[in-house]
Amino acid sequence: MARCKSCLARKTAFLGHNRLSIIDLSDDANQPFLDASGRFAMVFNGEIYNYLELKKELTDYPFKTESDTEVLLAAYLKWGKKALEKCNGMFSFAIWDRQDNTLFAARDRFGVKPFYYAVLNGQFYFSSEIKALFAAGIAKKRNQKVWANYFTYGTYGLPDETFWDGIEQLPGGHCMEIRFSETINTTAIQPEKWYDFEQRISNTPPLPEEELKEKYEAFLNDAVKLRFRSDVPLGMNVSGGLDSSTLIAVVRDNLSSDKNIEAFTFYTGNRDYDELPWVDKLMQTTPYELNKVLLKSTDVPELIAQISHFEDEPFGGFPTLAYSLLFKKAREKGIKVLLDGQGMDEAWAGYDYYHNNSNSIIQGLNSSPVRPEILTDECRNLAQRDEYPQPFDNKLQNLQYRDLFYTKIPRALRFNDRISMMHGTELREPFLDYRLAELAFAQTEKMKMQNGQTKWLLRNLVKEKLGDTIALAPKRPLQTPQREWIANELKEYCEQQIKQFSEMDFVNKAKVISLWDDYLKGNQDNSFYIWQWINAVRL
């Protein structure tokens, strides 16, 4: 949490930081971090994975720590905002210039790490969590348009929006500089795009198959090796799908023999959903311990309350609850850094709706996941369907672009960052290394899908490492028995939450009760809208 204010007499900044120590565990690397001159103070959330390589270019700076924090600050002092382009990492940071009374802030390319801000009474507040802004005095008031869109279209807001009025976020791949020469208001804050993904794609030519495989595999190995850098124990979260298979294979090929890594997966005891047979088969190819974590229906009410507190905004249902247990288990075992396989589907066009002309944005679901008829007319009229840029000359890449920067990746990164940090663990996403994402995205559709197989080139690459059974397995969405538990084991709990939801001032109570009755009678094609209602009550 931080606050900056400006007035004619005096300009001040208050910076605070709660550190999760991963690299250089000494107190010297604590934050806020001052440069050697004492002029610049920085707060930083995240990791700069290539900090050792950058440090070699900063020989004129008098380093006093071994931290990536100091490297990032030194890089900014030497190169300014161009330092961002040199960084390979996940980051959200702010630097206060005590002499010029300016604040520079930036967020990583895909927005892995959060940056929320608000302006109140001429003061600028920013934080990694929305609740910190509430604690600072920002009113907790719904952003009516974002909530209306959530219930009408199932969307979670644009990259600069939140579910709360007056609280915005710095979009991924953006930076901003604020000069505190006069009273601050929202017009003084002008985020600037520093990561030009579209231009980089235009500069990345499609490659022949063998050259592409060679280049992609080299980037893949390096991306994983960079994310091994840590002064604390490592883990990885796995499922039974292609992306986890790829991660496991690359970790096995690149982790040095003197380092150990443990794997974590969840299950529910329901054979229709659990992937344990696939995960067990994958892990048999490695020497690593597999930790199996059980989500029970009786765990769900308490988990919803806990995770809603940390998320601050709507999140992704029972799978997010189950996923949170992996971080809890890891921390109990002393593991503070975990890798996972997020990002492959968006870069390699892995979802079915990329190829079947469906308007769905949910894998395997064809009917509408939402029920906007439960809104009052006044609320429903506030909904405005978000329009997403289409910077490319083909439908496939425009859909991928939407998912990378506006829909799937932003919300998945938010869900996962909060549940990892709530347990004091750090989640690293090697497949969102910008080099991998750009190279895969830029390829022709033929490299992404052939003979009905999505992520075609990636499957070929993995087939050489793990064989046909794993490489050619169909896409399976990561799921839990959410639909069944809502109607059965958790019926009483859900009914209590839904009754509370039906009393909210923007809701048509009769419609909610009617749809809930229909659900209990077997109309259970999807449960997303039921989850929306339950989740809204907890926020």
Side-chain angles (χ1 to χ4, degrees):
M1 174 65 204
R3 178 181 70 171
C4 305
K5 68 178 182 179
S6 174
C7 62
L8 292 176
R10 189 171 123 196
K11 304 167 185 69
T12 57
F14 301 88
L15 303 178
H17 188 271
N18 188 14
R19 184 182 178 208
L20 174 62
S21 303
I22 301 295
I23 293 173
D24 188 344
L25 309 185
S26 72
D27 290 346
D28 291 339
N30 286 349
Q31 300 179 44
F33 192 92
L34 297 177
D35 78 309
S37 72
R39 172 178 169 179
F40 298 91
M42 182 174 76
V43 283
F44 162 48
N45 178 15
E47 300 291 343
I48 307 300
Y49 302 124
N50 64 332
Y51 76 103
L52 294 177
E53 289 76 12
L54 290 176
K55 194 171 185 177
K56 292 177 183 177
E57 300 183 50
L58 297 165
T59 54
D60 54 343
Y61 184 87
F63 287 97
K64 63 180 182 180
T65 75
E66 299 301 320
S67 69
D68 59 330
T69 300
E70 190 171 21
V71 171
L72 176 59
L73 180 55
Y76 174 75
L77 297 183
K78 180 171 183 174
W79 296 305
K81 68 181 180 182
K82 289 186 177 179
L84 301 172
E85 298 172 7
K86 291 177 171 284
C87 291
N88 188 341
M90 56 178 185
F91 52 83
S92 173
F93 69 88
I95 298 173
W96 174 252
D97 183 338
R98 302 168 73 183
Q99 178 175 302
D100 289 347
N101 296 308
T102 60
L103 184 82
F104 179 82
R107 195 172 175 198
D108 64 73
R109 292 168 178 84
F110 298 108
V112 179
K113 287 297 177 182
F115 190 106
Y116 298 106
Y117 66 89
V119 175
L120 178 66
N121 298 328
Q123 299 187 50
F124 177 77
Y125 297 82
F126 67 94
S127 178
S128 293
E129 291 188 273
I130 290 174
K131 67 175 64 62
L133 300 178
F134 293 150
I138 308 300
K140 187 174 183 179
K141 181 182 177 183
R142 290 191 191 91
N143 183 325
Q144 293 183 338
K145 175 247 180 183
V146 174
W147 279 97
N149 280 6
Y150 176 61
F151 290 113
T152 303
Y153 306 114
T155 56
Y156 290 75
L158 293 170
D160 61 340
E161 295 179 319
T162 74
F163 280 79
W164 305 107
D165 192 44
I167 297 177
E168 298 181 64
Q169 55 178 326
L170 182 64
H174 283 65
C175 61
M176 60 184 177
E177 185 173 56
I178 307 173
R179 297 188 176 277
F180 288 78
S181 57
E182 56 188 32
T183 300
I184 295 300
N185 54 43
T186 53
T187 60
I189 301 169
Q190 298 292 330
E192 173 189 350
K193 184 175 180 176
W194 69 264
Y195 178 44
D196 193 343
F197 178 81
E198 300 92 320
Q199 184 60 49
R200 291 183 67 88
I201 294 303
S202 71
N203 294 336
T204 305
L207 298 175
E209 179 182 338
E210 290 306 315
E211 185 179 353
L212 176 59
K213 285 171 67 174
E214 182 178 346
K215 188 171 185 178
Y216 190 83
E217 186 169 17
F219 282 160
L220 188 59
N221 289 329
D222 190 57
V224 171
K225 284 191 286 187
L226 282 176
R227 284 157 183 81
F228 286 154
R229 289 179 174 173
S230 168
D231 293 331
V232 297
L234 297 167
M236 57 180 169
N237 296 336
V238 299
S239 64
L242 176 64
D243 302 344
S244 284
S245 306
T246 305
L247 178 62
I248 291 167
V250 178
V251 166
R252 182 193 61 196
D253 290 348
N254 288 280
L255 189 65
S256 61
S257 58
D258 62 333
K259 278 198 170 188
N260 184 43
I261 191 168
E262 294 191 31
F264 297 83
T265 194
F266 72 77
Y267 68 104
T268 65
N270 186 313
R271 293 182 179 180
D272 292 336
Y273 295 97
D274 289 344
E275 296 191 319
L276 277 183
W278 291 89
V279 176
D280 281 330
K281 186 176 181 66
L282 281 170
M283 294 308 298
Q284 287 171 8
T285 67
T286 79
Y288 312 130
E289 179 181 349
L290 175 63
N291 296 272
K292 303 172 185 179
V293 184
L294 175 64
L295 173 70
K296 303 188 296 290
S297 62
T298 51
D299 298 332
V300 168
E302 184 178 353
L303 284 171
I304 290 175
Q306 291 175 347
I307 294 172
S308 296
H309 172 73
F310 282 93
E311 290 281 351
D312 292 320
E313 298 181 283
F315 61 95
F318 290 14
T320 302
L321 308 181
Y323 200 47
S324 74
L325 297 178
L326 305 189
F327 299 103
K328 180 182 180 182
K329 181 67 172 179
R331 187 60 197 244
E332 288 172 354
K333 300 194 72 174
I335 293 170
K336 293 168 67 174
V337 171
L338 294 112
L339 313 184
D340 88 349
Q342 191 73 51
M344 282 291 200
D345 285 305
E346 293 77 12
W348 281 109
Y351 295 117
D352 55 8
Y353 59 77
Y354 286 140
H355 308 284
N356 63 11
N357 295 317
S358 166
N359 290 323
S360 173
I361 58 171
I362 299 178
Q363 173 79 11
L365 183 65
N366 295 316
S367 62
S368 173
V370 292
R371 298 293 183 268
E373 61 266 33
I374 59 95
L375 300 176
T376 62
D377 290 341
E378 181 183 6
C379 181
R380 195 169 177 181
N381 289 337
L382 295 171
Q384 304 170 28
R385 185 183 288 276
D386 293 327
E387 295 186 4
Y388 308 115
Q390 298 189 6
F392 301 99
D393 62 4
N394 63 88
K395 181 180 179 181
L396 177 59
Q397 285 186 319
N398 283 327
L399 288 174
Q400 291 179 263
Y401 180 80
R402 177 200 68 186
D403 285 357
L404 269 172
F405 292 98
Y406 290 89
T407 56
K408 282 192 174 292
I409 287 296
R411 67 179 182 243
L413 292 176
R414 172 169 68 81
F415 302 165
N416 295 345
D417 179 73
R418 302 310 181 276
I419 58 175
S420 65
M421 296 302 289
M422 74 179 278
H423 292 296
T425 56
E426 179 177 276
L427 181 63
R428 298 179 175 182
E429 315 276 8
F431 299 157
L432 278 177
D433 187 300
Y434 70 96
R435 299 168 299 173
L436 289 173
E438 290 171 3
L439 184 59
F441 188 101
Q443 302 311 307
T444 63
E445 185 168 0
K446 182 180 178 181
M447 291 295 180
K448 299 170 184 175
M449 182 169 182
Q450 284 189 35
N451 303 320
Q453 288 283 356
T454 58
K455 296 189 281 193
W456 180 78
L457 184 127
L458 182 64
R459 291 181 189 277
N460 272 9
L461 198 62
V462 173
K463 184 165 59 174
E464 296 172 5
K465 298 176 179 290
L466 298 173
D468 288 359
T469 303
I470 293 172
L472 302 181
K475 171 79 178 166
R476 296 185 303 277
L478 189 62
Q479 290 294 354
T480 62
Q482 175 174 299
R483 288 182 298 181
E484 294 83 352
W485 284 359
I486 284 175
N488 297 289
E489 290 91 337
L490 294 168
K491 176 185 172 184
E492 182 178 347
Y493 165 79
C494 292
E495 193 150 86
Q496 292 172 352
Q497 307 305 308
I498 289 167
K499 284 182 178 178
Q500 288 186 52
F501 176 75
S502 72
E503 300 291 343
M504 299 180 90
D505 58 9
F506 57 87
V507 170
N508 182 317
K509 180 176 182 177
K511 286 285 189 184
V512 170
I513 300 304
S514 175
L515 285 169
W516 172 236
D517 288 342
D518 286 347
Y519 188 87
L520 294 178
K521 290 174 182 176
N523 186 6
Q524 298 171 13
D525 177 53
N526 89 86
S527 58
F528 177 71
Y529 63 97
I530 303 290
W531 165 252
Q532 286 183 304
W533 306 346
I534 296 168
N535 198 189
V537 171
R538 307 306 305 185
L539 297 168

